[in-house]
Amino acid sequence: MKRKVSKAFVYLGPSDIEGIGCFADRAIRKGETVRVWDGKDSRWVTTQQAHASPQRHLFKRFGIRTTGGYHAPIDFLRISTGWYMNHDADPNISSDDEDVTYYAVRDIPAGEELTMDYRRMDERHDNLARDVQVPATSKRKKRPTPRR
């Protein structure tokens, strides 16, 4: 199924869920592709390499744990906004390929935080429980959209 690509940009802002979150700068219609990841912005690192790295805390915090390792940003200084996406058990975006292509599962108003379900990232690993406890469901609040 070919989806229309949303013209919305994702910006970072304070999240009511956890730390920093991703927000839509304009309304996104249900079914539209949402650009939150740069497909060239990830690498796979073995568990041994990640845990031996001086940045091991970053692999554990931002990486997506899978069998034998992590999918993680290529450069922790230049990461796509999608790496800041927070979990929600009732997310407003989802993926068909469980990779970098996400779409809106419902209409999303401008200023709403974009969320995904971490539990769908890898069927064998719970990418929720490895860090600080994250609420299972968020109370979505709109943030002001940045001025252009």
Side-chain angles (χ1 to χ4, degrees):
M1 168 188 207
K2 182 133 173 115
R3 297 183 185 279
K4 181 179 177 183
V5 176
S6 172
K7 293 182 180 181
F9 283 93
V10 176
Y11 64 93
L12 300 177
S15 170
D16 291 329
I17 300 170
E18 176 73 24
I20 297 172
C22 301
F23 296 83
D25 76 333
R26 62 177 65 181
I28 302 170
R29 298 186 74 102
K30 180 180 179 178
E32 287 183 336
T33 298
V34 183
R35 298 171 298 161
V36 294
W37 301 94
D38 177 349
K40 299 176 191 132
D41 183 25
S42 69
R43 61 184 164 146
W44 192 83
V45 178
T46 67
T47 304
Q48 183 178 1
Q49 290 170 317
H51 292 182
S53 167
Q55 290 84 31
R56 67 183 153 276
H57 66 287
L58 295 174
F59 283 104
K60 290 179 179 181
R61 177 119 177 112
F62 289 103
I64 300 167
R65 188 171 52 186
T66 63
T67 301
Y70 296 86
H71 291 283
I74 288 173
D75 183 345
F76 286 108
L77 293 175
R78 298 178 187 169
I79 62 178
S80 299
T81 54
W83 290 104
Y84 291 93
M85 187 94 46
N86 282 310
H87 165 77
D88 195 318
D90 182 26
N92 53 17
I93 66 170
S94 189
S95 175
D96 287 333
D97 60 10
E98 302 305 327
D99 193 15
V100 296
T101 308
Y102 282 81
Y103 66 92
V105 296
R106 62 170 175 77
D107 288 343
I108 302 169
E112 183 172 299
E113 183 169 358
L114 302 177
T115 58
M116 64 181 162
D117 188 341
Y118 286 2
R119 298 168 300 180
R120 295 196 50 167
M121 297 172 114
D122 186 284
E123 62 188 33
R124 294 187 192 139
H125 292 89
D126 181 355
N127 280 285
L128 251 187
R130 65 167 193 255
D131 292 313
V132 183
Q133 287 295 325
V134 180
T137 304
S138 71
K139 294 178 182 173
R140 291 189 186 95
K141 292 185 180 176
K142 287 177 63 174
R143 296 274 182 231
T145 54
R147 295 185 181 231
R148 296 178 202 243

